Amino acid sequence: MTISEAIIRNAAALLNQGKLVAFPTETVYGLGADARNADAVAKIYTAKGRPSNNPLIVHIHSVEQIETYADLSMSWNPIVVKEWISKLAPLWPGPLSVVLPRGMAIAQNVSAGGSSVALRIPNHPLALELLKAFNGPIAAPSANPSNYVSPTTAQHVRDGLGERVDSVLDGGPCAVGLESTVVSLLQETPKVLRPGAITIEMLEAILGSRVEGPSSQKAVEGLTLHSPGLLAKHYSPRTKVVLRSSLSDSSQLPPRIGVLLFSSWKPQFPTVKTVALSSCGDLEEVAARLFGALRELDDAGLDLIVSDECEPIGLGEAIMDRLTRASHK
Ligand code: TXA
Ligand code: MG
């Protein structure tokens, strides 16, 4: 047995004992528990301080497992939904979660009071090895305290959750860097609840049908939310963040300003720290480094973080979605 096999086996054993294991995915690190074990799932909510009305994504290792952990017979149209799943199959493993009726095997608290489950196959060798060794569904939200910036390195997980997690698998920095696209297949028109690296345009092309965007959703306080990850304020650093377009000439600026830069923009005010995400405005590079940069600026003792912006098109939509939430007052 190699060292990595031993580590994976140990992590799978911890999950079997109802413990929490953080693991890398291509998007962000996840805080995993056995999705069939309600007590283990409850530990996730406690460790993150996550509101009990915010459902969790369940990770699996193969497309075949979708029918094991979702109950497609409860779909609005099982034949169409099966067709959609086979069309989406080439995108997995990858940064796409699909919301379907929850199967019997999945603990109820994964769905946070609802009857659906979000499923995805992560594209990271360690995550896939863990899923195969465990041979069951792993519920895993991002491995950060609720509302803080998602972790893209093992150190981010340790910084945020410390002793609250039983083990952290270190797979290096996450390649995508933004959480998966969440698409609901619960109704006649597929609906993106959270934008990500798999864009609406890509989904429309592969499904050959119209896909609704996230903007039409309104979160209602106190009810089970369609996707509470879409609450206006989310993913926020402690330091105040503003988008550069919302600064005016007359804005009163504090002394210690940091800038998150990803275009040729040149701020016309004094700054004490600048983090440049990509020298050529490459959005994939911006996405991969975004959360690490927000954490770096947040740790720099600044009064204000001013963020650059890009067109909200393609991957730019997910980037601007996260930055808009981070800057929500
Ligand atoms: O990339 C990702 O998706 C990462 C990695 C670890 O896989 N996970 C992640 O989980 O971002 P979390 O919990 O931070 O975000 C899950 C999002 C939330 O916006 C949640 O509301 C939504 O997915 N979600 C989960 N289950 C859902 C369901 N049954 N119906 C609607 N939305 C759901
Ligand atoms: Mg999260």
Side-chain angles (χ1 to χ4, degrees):
M1 207 184 336
T2 66
I3 294 176
S4 82
E5 276 168 3
I7 290 171
I8 295 282
R9 266 200 208 183
N10 179 54
L14 289 172
L15 289 172
N16 269 314
Q17 293 158 26
K19 298 201 165 142
L20 299 184
V21 174
F23 61 96
T25 81
E26 79 281 32
T27 59
V28 301
Y29 275 72
L31 178 63
D34 183 348
R36 299 161 300 193
N37 177 341
D39 292 337
V41 170
K43 289 181 192 165
I44 294 181
Y45 286 92
T46 306
K48 280 183 61 88
R50 185 177 179 101
S52 59
N53 65 349
N54 193 357
L56 309 177
I57 292 177
V58 171
H59 298 69
I60 53 179
H61 62 69
S62 68
V63 176
E64 291 67 48
Q65 286 185 307
I66 291 179
E67 296 210 30
T68 312
Y69 297 115
D71 182 357
L72 297 189
S73 73
M74 296 299 284
S75 292
W76 67 274
N77 184 330
I79 296 170
V80 173
V81 172
K82 274 185 199 178
E83 242 173 64
W84 283 347
I85 290 169
S86 44
K87 286 181 177 170
L88 294 172
L91 298 175
W92 288 302
L96 176 71
S97 302
V98 285
V99 178
L100 295 164
R102 187 185 68 234
M104 288 280 288
I106 301 292
Q108 277 192 20
N109 53 351
V110 165
S111 307
S115 54
S116 61
V117 64
L119 295 173
R120 92 170 186 104
I121 306 164
N123 188 17
H124 192 290
L126 275 187
L128 289 170
E129 279 176 46
L130 177 64
L131 283 159
K132 285 175 192 153
F134 177 59
N135 199 26
I138 303 180
S142 52
N144 52 284
S146 193
N147 287 335
Y148 195 62
V149 181
S150 292
T152 51
T153 66
Q155 191 56 47
H156 293 162
V157 179
R158 294 187 203 104
D159 292 346
L161 296 175
E163 300 295 303
R164 282 174 275 172
V165 43
D166 298 296
S167 170
V168 182
L169 295 182
D170 191 342
C174 302
V176 174
L178 296 180
E179 303 85 349
S180 63
T181 304
V182 179
V183 63
S184 168
L185 303 182
L186 296 178
Q187 60 290 307
E188 228 171 301
T189 308
K191 181 169 177 174
V192 169
L193 304 176
R194 178 176 71 182
I198 304 286
T199 63
I200 293 184
E201 294 80 5
M202 289 161 77
L203 291 172
E204 287 189 327
I206 205 159
L207 291 172
S209 88
R210 194 172 75 82
V211 173
E212 256 182 68
S215 52
S216 49
Q217 186 195 323
K218 296 238 177 355
V220 183
E221 203 77 39
L223 295 180
T224 296
L225 300 168
H226 295 303
S227 199
L230 292 178
L231 285 176
K233 187 169 179 67
H234 208 82
Y235 314 107
S236 353
R238 295 172 296 269
T239 315
K240 186 176 175 193
V241 179
V242 296
L243 299 178
R244 73 173 161 105
S245 63
S246 52
L247 288 177
S248 63
D249 290 343
S250 56
S251 295
Q252 294 280 327
L253 295 174
R256 291 182 56 79
I257 304 178
V259 169
L260 187 62
L261 197 67
F262 45 88
S263 69
S264 55
W265 175 49
K266 292 199 176 53
Q268 300 300 310
F269 46 80
T271 60
V272 297
K273 186 174 172 77
T274 297
V275 179
L277 293 180
S278 167
S279 54
C280 58
D282 174 351
L283 293 186
E284 286 183 18
E285 204 177 348
V286 172
R289 299 184 58 202
L290 183 65
F291 289 158
L294 278 174
R295 284 170 179 262
E296 189 184 333
L297 288 162
D298 202 19
D299 291 340
L302 301 167
D303 302 316
L304 183 68
I305 299 168
V306 179
S307 174
D308 207 350
E309 292 172 55
C310 60
E311 285 292 324
I313 298 167
L315 184 55
E317 181 174 12
I319 292 169
M320 286 315 299
D321 170 79
R322 303 311 189 272
L323 284 171
T324 305
R325 288 171 207 292
S327 67
H328 189 80
K329 285 174 214 74

